Amino acid sequence: MDYWKKEGFFEPKFDTNGEVSKEGYFVIPIPPPNVTGALHCGHALATALQDCLIRWNRMRGLTTLYVPGCDHAGISTQSVVENILWRREKKTRHDLGRPALVERIWAWKDDYHNRIRNVLDRLGGSFDWSREAFTMDKERGIAVTETFVRLHEEGLIYRSNRLVNWCTQLRTSLSNLEVENKELTGRTLLDVPGYEKKVEFGVLTFFKYPIEGSSETIEVATTRPETMLGDTGIAVHPNDKRYQHLIGKKAKHPFVDRLLPIFGDDYVDPEFGTGAVKITPAHDQNDFTLGKRHNLDFINILNDDGTLNAKAGPMFEGKKRFDVRYEVKAELEKLGLYVKQEDNAMSVPLCLKSKDIIEPIMKPQWWMSMKDMAEDAIKVVKSGEIIIRPESAERNYYRWLESIQDWCLSRQLWWGHQCPAYLVNIEGEHIDETSNDAWVTGRTLEEAEKKAAEKFPGKKFTLTQDPDVLDTWFSSGLWPFATLGWPNQTHDLDKLFPTSVLETGWDILFFWVARMIMLSLKLTGKIPFKEVYCHSLIRDSEGRKMSKSLGNVIDPIDIMEGISLKDLNDKLLAGNLDPKELKTATKYQHTSFPQGIPECGADATRFALIQYTTGGGDISFDVKVIHAYRRFANKIYQATKYSLGKFPDNYTPQANRKLTGKESLAERWILHKLNSAARNINDALENREFSKSTQVVYSYIYDDLCNVYIENSKAIIEQGTEEEKRSAIDTLYTATEGALTMIHPFMPFLSEELWQRLPRRPQDSTPSITIAQYPRHDPQFDNLDAETQYGIVQGASEGIRSLITEYKIQGSPVVQASDDASFSIIKSELQAIKSLAGKGVTSVSILGPNDPTPTGSAVYVVGKTAAVFLEVKGQVDVDDEIKKAQTKLKKASDGASKLKMQLADEEFRAHVSAGVLETEETRLAEFDAQISNYERRIENLLGCQ
């Protein structure tokens, strides 16, 4: 990695005029990992996919740039540091103060930022670190300020006092996207942060309000009894005869000195509950709307920490909201106003970060108008300017944007971009800070002062900057163009924007991707990227999303370098895990990694993660799969070592890859397979069929090169003429060089090390495989005849191996051709058949199509071209072998039937990629071949009885 960076291979290459390559450019901005903590497998997956595309395009001659960077992750990072502060020192952020806490967070950021860089390097990410960005560095800060001020000047960002999603644990507002709705079917006890006992949800509580000046009451129902302390009205349907006589009257609140007007509104459903609805305008979104419409009082009864304030009455002031839930019911019972309680299906809003119950609270905040921007973002995807893959992600994108609401930008945090907005305090005048007119924005304090002077001419004033910071996703939304220098018109922005691909998880399609598209269109007039590829989420072996809070996150370093179970447990104990989750997390580690995690290496880790990516469902993590690809890496090493050992001293390869006309059938075949693999892998990567691309390169290297051509070449190189030897070695070089360059985007470290050992072709001074030419399809190497003919050789040798292995008889196999052309090929390639059949096979007989078929033998059918026979009569229990063959025939038939039904299902075909369909069709062909084989085998074995 140090060599690559030192030589500048990862920097984008421009010509002397500053233009990109004639092949074009390819740019990926990294989805910036949060500096909250260490990277996990999801980051490793993203890095593997992104770097695979970058390295592939670099080798194809494009000007490439992989932009690195990190996100400050406002809520998450501050929350982690605050939790550590409390656990270790029993102090809150207020004990420290804003400057001291921010200083601690910067220290945390620097520590984890360095760790993140090290892991990304260890994974082989070919980043241009000279262009690294951080969402809170100076340049990105300028971009954030410019965006806020510009959009405020246009009226798109505005100040408003309205309901927000409030987390009492984090003590900040949240956007709708940061809230998870938990569906309940009825009464449910839930854990709530800050409460020792579980809290009751999923019930409807019925109680009565007395009517002023009357003995009559009106019954209402609520799922949140504590909010009745903020009630300011009661709504009924105007046509509901039960309550028409009460419209215009007032109900008396039993706990505070407040009268509640009773009014009619079509919004009310007479069939739900009692048909009378208590209205809490300051704590419910629907009630907020009704409160505005009927001019009700908006009374906030909650403090920021979730305790009740003075407006809730002296009986409840200072108490925790869910303690008050029970106390209110008890007090209503004492007054004879409590009626009953019923199970009620409902949705409970949870903070994604803290799992606290979200409270709607009235707060003056900064908002961004989204509707027009969303319409523009929809247009560029529908027109095809931006492609979103897979299609399911595109459908979700439209669904969210079509129902978008204005974005609450303010966060009551200390870590983040402080809003560049200033309250104008006019001397001698009352200022309503909830009003948009009381604020000015500025790129600098001087600009804000100038605006205030123009807005309030002749008046004395001071400015107070809003202490709130901006939602992290606001700065992240500028990432693709801010990392290239915006708002300045830099060379990078001019030549490398729009970027090429945004590769990310589907779970942040709305948080991040849609917002980048909207902000880019608004601020630059261009799309931010041409394509969005949403990879699957990695889940643990129990199907759970990997999460730091669950303790099931796996550090990529532990996979690459290996780790014992004890050390895994120790990392849990040293972490920031909630003590309640520690036991579950420890149990998961003992179940999933009883022997720890074996060393897998970076290359195997990358290859396995790319192989997992089908564009379909989520990924179930299994370290055994990753470790298996370490053996594949070893296979590549052994194959290259073999090739190097066969090259003569001072060997110089051919100047160019071209046919000489002297190649054997095996050579023509391997060159054809290399050529086909080059075409297929380029097509797969172009179409983002990542799993298929790994299958192509694996099949070529493992099956074609290692298991077939290398085995076949041994006999030619050892026993052939000098001309045959030289041709076989030249082909071996081409096949090996092609394998290493083809695997490089997937396994960069191993491929570079082995490629450097290969001799260079004349006039080839390429210093590194990172900029070597990627294999391309060349029509001169297409040779379907060679594939067909050599297929007979492979089939015959496979048949011999299969029969000897199955029957454990080391006899003399016989190959009978079905026609004269096949007989000629088998005869001329007999030595190859022996080589591929295995070391134990010394004698193979050949029969022509007209020769008598051997009797007393087991058979292996090689398609329509040949059959392999092995005499078994008198050496095996024929009846037992017939039963075995019948069992295998049934299994193959059942498998084929099931697969045929699946492939005939239009819904299945519509929801899987072309690569998956191709794989399933190949499996069906294999089943059909097995069926043919077992039918013929049973027929022959019956003749042995």
Side-chain angles (χ1 to χ4, degrees):
M1 180 59 78
D2 289 340
Y3 163 68
W4 288 330
K5 289 194 284 188
K6 179 183 175 184
E7 296 299 321
F9 294 135
F10 301 159
E11 298 170 12
K13 299 299 182 286
F14 302 96
D15 65 18
T16 53
N17 296 318
E19 298 296 329
V20 301
S21 164
K22 67 180 187 305
E23 303 293 337
Y25 72 85
F26 188 84
V27 177
I28 293 181
I30 186 177
N34 295 343
V35 290
T36 314
L39 298 187
H40 53 68
C41 287
H43 295 112
L45 170 64
T47 302
L49 293 174
Q50 293 157 25
D51 192 59
C52 178
L53 291 176
I54 286 286
R55 289 181 181 272
W56 172 58
N57 279 289
R58 185 184 292 120
M59 295 175 76
R60 296 202 302 163
L62 281 74
T63 298
T64 56
L65 173 61
Y66 191 8
V67 184
C70 288
D71 193 298
H72 67 279
I75 292 176
S76 298
T77 306
Q78 180 168 322
S79 178
V80 167
V81 175
E82 283 193 71
N83 286 340
I84 291 174
L85 178 66
W86 178 253
R87 287 179 186 173
R88 294 178 182 174
E89 302 178 33
K90 297 302 178 187
K91 291 182 180 179
T92 70
R93 61 172 161 171
H94 301 285
D95 294 325
L96 243 61
R98 186 165 188 158
L101 181 75
V102 170
E103 184 179 344
R104 290 206 184 192
I105 299 175
W106 272 109
W108 173 278
K109 173 264 172 190
D110 290 341
D111 180 17
Y112 277 89
H113 183 194
N114 290 331
R115 296 191 198 187
I116 288 168
R117 285 192 60 160
N118 290 337
V119 176
L120 292 175
D121 274 351
R122 183 73 178 79
L123 282 163
S126 53
F127 298 98
D128 179 1
W129 289 105
S130 70
R131 287 172 165 81
E132 184 182 13
F134 176 55
T135 52
M136 274 183 62
D137 62 25
K138 180 180 177 181
E139 291 79 7
R140 263 44 66 179
I142 291 171
V144 168
T145 299
E146 175 66 28
T147 301
F148 190 93
V149 174
R150 188 184 296 187
L151 297 184
H152 180 262
E153 289 173 344
E154 291 185 30
L156 290 175
I157 290 179
Y158 60 93
R159 186 80 169 176
S160 181
N161 187 29
R162 62 172 70 169
L163 284 178
V164 297
N165 299 306
W166 188 260
C167 175
T168 64
Q169 281 292 109
L170 302 176
R171 299 192 196 182
T172 183
S173 59
L174 303 171
S175 74
N176 290 339
L177 292 178
E178 293 162 308
V179 177
E180 173 188 25
N181 289 306
K182 184 178 184 67
E183 300 297 330
L184 306 180
T185 57
R187 183 177 183 272
T188 308
L189 296 177
L190 298 178
D191 284 314
V192 178
Y195 292 82
E196 291 185 8
K197 294 182 178 180
K198 292 187 176 186
V199 180
E200 181 182 66
F201 294 88
V203 295
L204 202 57
T205 300
F206 295 77
F207 68 93
K208 296 179 288 187
Y209 273 119
I211 304 298
E212 182 191 26
S214 166
S215 60
E216 195 173 357
T217 59
I218 184 169
E219 187 178 330
V220 295
T222 180
T223 58
R224 302 160 66 207
E226 66 280 7
T227 64
M228 63 88 66
L229 298 169
D231 285 357
T232 60
I234 297 173
V236 297
H237 194 280
N239 297 329
D240 192 333
K241 294 180 180 179
R242 293 174 296 174
Y243 304 117
Q244 282 180 334
H245 68 290
L246 295 178
I247 293 176
K249 294 185 178 182
K250 294 181 179 180
K252 187 177 180 181
H253 201 289
F255 304 127
V256 290
D257 185 16
R258 190 185 310 150
L259 295 176
L260 285 57
I262 301 170
F263 59 91
D265 195 290
D266 291 339
Y267 161 79
V268 177
D269 178 4
E271 303 300 320
F272 180 76
T274 66
V277 181
K278 59 183 282 300
I279 306 298
T280 321
H283 293 285
D284 182 273
Q285 187 60 58
N286 293 323
D287 292 4
F288 177 89
T289 304
L290 286 174
K292 288 286 187 184
R293 190 150 65 220
H294 294 278
N295 200 28
L296 300 180
D297 290 333
F298 285 70
I299 297 177
N300 179 8
I301 59 169
L302 283 173
N303 295 314
D304 288 351
D305 64 357
T307 58
L308 273 67
N309 60 32
K311 293 177 181 177
M315 185 186 301
F316 304 106
E317 183 181 2
K319 295 181 178 179
K320 294 161 73 172
R321 56 185 166 149
F322 293 127
D323 289 340
V324 171
R325 170 169 293 189
Y326 296 103
E327 289 185 23
V328 161
K329 288 194 283 187
E331 292 299 325
L332 287 169
E333 282 190 82
K334 290 179 184 177
L335 296 173
L337 298 175
Y338 177 80
V339 179
K340 63 178 178 178
Q341 185 172 290
E342 291 180 354
D343 275 20
N344 180 65
M346 64 179 293
S347 178
V348 177
L350 303 177
C351 171
L352 280 174
K353 301 294 183 184
S354 69
K355 300 306 177 186
D356 190 19
I357 307 296
I358 291 297
E359 289 290 346
I361 294 180
M362 290 281 290
K363 290 278 184 181
Q365 306 277 270
W366 292 104
W367 299 80
M368 183 187 290
S369 178
M370 305 299 292
K371 186 177 180 183
D372 291 344
M373 293 171 68
E375 289 175 356
D376 291 337
I378 289 172
K379 287 176 186 176
V380 293
V381 175
K382 286 195 171 179
S383 69
E385 287 183 73
I386 297 177
I387 297 170
I388 298 180
R389 308 184 199 204
E391 287 183 10
S392 57
E394 182 181 338
R395 291 192 295 270
N396 289 334
Y397 173 84
Y398 293 139
R399 191 177 303 120
W400 180 69
L401 285 178
E402 286 164 357
S403 58
I404 197 169
Q405 298 176 0
D406 283 3
W407 179 7
C408 178
L409 301 178
S410 305
R411 296 293 179 270
Q412 289 63 49
L413 303 172
W414 293 350
W415 173 245
H417 293 278
Q418 192 170 348
C419 299
Y422 302 83
L423 181 65
V424 184
N425 305 290
I426 300 175
E427 190 175 300
E429 294 186 19
H430 171 72
I431 297 298
D432 179 9
E433 66 174 88
T434 66
S435 169
N436 195 56
D437 292 336
W439 295 80
V440 293
T441 58
R443 295 165 182 83
T444 62
L445 176 60
E446 291 73 23
E447 181 183 354
E449 288 173 338
K450 183 179 178 182
K451 285 184 179 179
E454 292 172 353
K455 191 171 187 178
F456 303 101
K459 296 191 176 182
K460 290 185 179 181
F461 61 82
T462 57
L463 297 185
T464 304
Q465 187 173 0
D466 187 346
D468 288 353
V469 300
L470 293 165
D471 181 3
T472 298
W473 298 106
F474 186 82
S475 52
S476 301
L478 312 178
W479 188 252
F481 46 97
T483 51
L484 297 179
W486 186 91
N488 298 317
Q489 190 56 43
T490 63
H491 180 263
D492 281 357
L493 193 63
D494 181 44
K495 302 300 180 183
L496 301 176
F497 189 78
T499 63
S500 307
V501 174
L502 190 284
E503 192 284 329
T504 187
W506 58 261
D507 56 330
I508 56 173
L509 186 65
F510 319 124
F511 286 99
W512 189 42
V513 178
R515 285 168 172 167
M516 283 190 287
I517 294 173
M518 288 186 280
L519 287 167
S520 181
L521 290 171
K522 182 64 184 175
L523 298 168
T524 74
K526 297 179 180 179
I527 56 175
F529 26 71
K530 299 166 188 174
E531 176 189 343
V532 177
Y533 181 87
C534 297
H535 65 242
S536 303
L537 299 185
I538 296 184
R539 299 188 179 275
D540 67 18
S541 55
E542 296 175 11
R544 302 176 301 172
K545 181 179 176 180
M546 287 196 172
S547 164
K548 294 184 183 72
S549 64
L550 294 176
N552 63 349
V553 169
I554 306 299
D555 188 334
I557 292 291
D558 293 340
I559 300 172
M560 291 185 281
E561 299 182 357
I563 187 171
S564 68
L565 177 61
K566 181 181 181 302
D567 287 342
L568 277 173
N569 292 163
D570 289 346
K571 287 179 76 170
L572 275 182
L573 293 170
N576 194 36
L577 194 62
D578 187 317
K580 293 180 181 178
E581 300 289 351
L582 188 59
K583 185 176 180 181
T584 302
T586 303
K587 181 181 177 182
Y588 166 73
Q589 288 186 343
H590 279 266
T591 302
S592 299
F593 312 111
Q595 307 301 320
I597 297 176
E599 180 183 355
C600 296
D603 288 320
T605 300
R606 285 171 61 116
F607 193 87
L609 291 171
I610 297 170
Q611 185 273 330
Y612 269 132
T613 307
T614 62
D618 290 346
I619 295 167
S620 294
F621 175 83
D622 187 346
V623 73
K624 292 190 288 294
V625 173
I626 298 176
H627 193 251
Y629 285 114
R630 183 176 176 84
R631 293 192 288 273
F632 175 49
N634 185 60
K635 190 84 168 178
I636 298 170
Y637 174 83
Q638 295 297 337
T640 308
K641 182 181 178 182
Y642 166 82
S643 299
L644 290 168
K646 295 303 178 184
F647 298 152
D649 294 341
N650 302 317
Y651 169 70
T652 301
Q654 294 171 289
N656 299 297
R657 278 183 54 199
K658 62 180 182 180
L659 293 171
T660 64
K662 299 175 183 178
E663 289 83 6
S664 65
L665 174 61
E667 291 173 70
R668 298 196 304 274
W669 173 81
I670 191 62
L671 292 172
H672 169 76
K673 299 299 282 187
L674 170 60
N675 201 42
S676 297
R679 179 191 60 233
N680 293 337
I681 199 167
N682 281 294
D683 287 349
L685 289 173
E686 193 71 59
N687 295 319
R688 312 298 183 242
E689 294 179 317
F690 292 102
S691 182
K692 182 179 179 181
S693 70
T694 61
Q695 292 167 23
V696 171
V697 69
Y698 183 93
S699 178
Y700 168 69
I701 293 176
Y702 197 96
D703 299 328
D704 301 335
L705 176 59
C706 297
N707 287 354
V708 179
Y709 183 70
I710 283 179
E711 292 302 318
N712 200 157
S713 71
K714 291 175 181 177
I716 302 174
I717 294 172
E718 291 170 7
Q719 302 171 22
T721 65
E722 288 303 314
E723 185 177 75
E724 289 172 337
K725 288 181 182 179
R726 174 68 196 202
S727 183
I729 288 171
D730 284 342
T731 298
L732 181 63
Y733 177 89
T734 297
T736 304
E737 179 195 45
L740 294 178
T741 50
M742 192 181 296
I743 198 73
H744 176 71
F746 307 87
M747 293 185 166
F749 296 108
L750 176 68
S751 56
E752 176 74 277
E753 179 185 342
L754 297 178
W755 184 87
Q756 291 289 356
R757 300 182 190 182
L758 292 181
R760 299 271 77 77
R761 296 184 188 275
Q763 285 79 53
D764 182 3
S765 58
T766 308
S768 167
I769 195 172
T770 60
I771 54 174
Q773 186 181 88
Y774 199 73
R776 299 180 181 181
H777 178 258
D778 186 342
Q780 71 165 313
F781 293 107
D782 281 338
N783 198 326
L784 291 174
D785 287 342
E787 182 171 36
T788 300
Q789 293 169 15
Y790 202 72
I792 299 172
V793 175
Q794 287 179 280
S797 60
E798 182 183 338
I800 293 170
R801 289 196 309 273
S802 177
L803 292 175
I804 288 175
T805 300
E806 185 163 354
Y807 292 101
K808 298 178 176 59
I809 296 173
Q810 198 66 41
S812 297
V814 176
V815 181
Q816 182 171 32
S818 301
D819 52 57
D820 291 337
S822 300
F823 179 77
S824 177
I825 293 167
I826 293 167
K827 184 178 180 180
S828 63
E829 298 295 327
L830 184 58
Q831 185 57 50
I833 292 172
K834 289 180 182 179
S835 296
L836 296 176
K839 294 180 181 179
V841 179
T842 57
S843 173
V844 177
S845 303
I846 308 173
L847 295 176
N850 299 320
D851 292 330
T853 298
T855 58
S857 300
V859 64
Y860 183 101
V861 180
V862 184
K864 298 179 180 179
T865 58
V868 179
F869 298 89
L870 182 67
E871 187 174 359
V872 296
K873 190 172 184 179
Q875 301 183 70
V876 298
D877 184 332
V878 173
D879 290 340
D880 187 48
E881 294 302 328
I882 290 173
K883 288 179 182 178
K884 289 180 183 178
Q886 288 172 334
T887 300
K888 292 177 180 178
L889 173 62
K890 184 178 186 307
K891 184 177 179 181
S893 299
D894 290 345
S897 298
K898 185 177 179 181
L899 200 50
K900 283 176 184 176
M901 288 178 62
Q902 187 179 55
L903 288 170
D905 186 341
E906 292 300 326
E907 186 174 349
F908 169 78
R909 299 181 74 91
H911 288 84
V912 296
S913 67
V916 171
L917 280 178
E918 187 176 327
T919 300
E920 296 299 87
E921 285 165 354
T922 300
R923 284 182 62 216
L924 181 58
E926 291 170 354
F927 276 131
D928 288 341
Q930 291 172 22
I931 291 168
S932 177
N933 247 317
Y934 292 127
E935 287 176 343
R936 181 78 180 272
R937 182 171 299 181
I938 291 168
E939 181 184 343
N940 267 49
L941 287 169
L942 288 169
C944 296
Q945 290 178 318

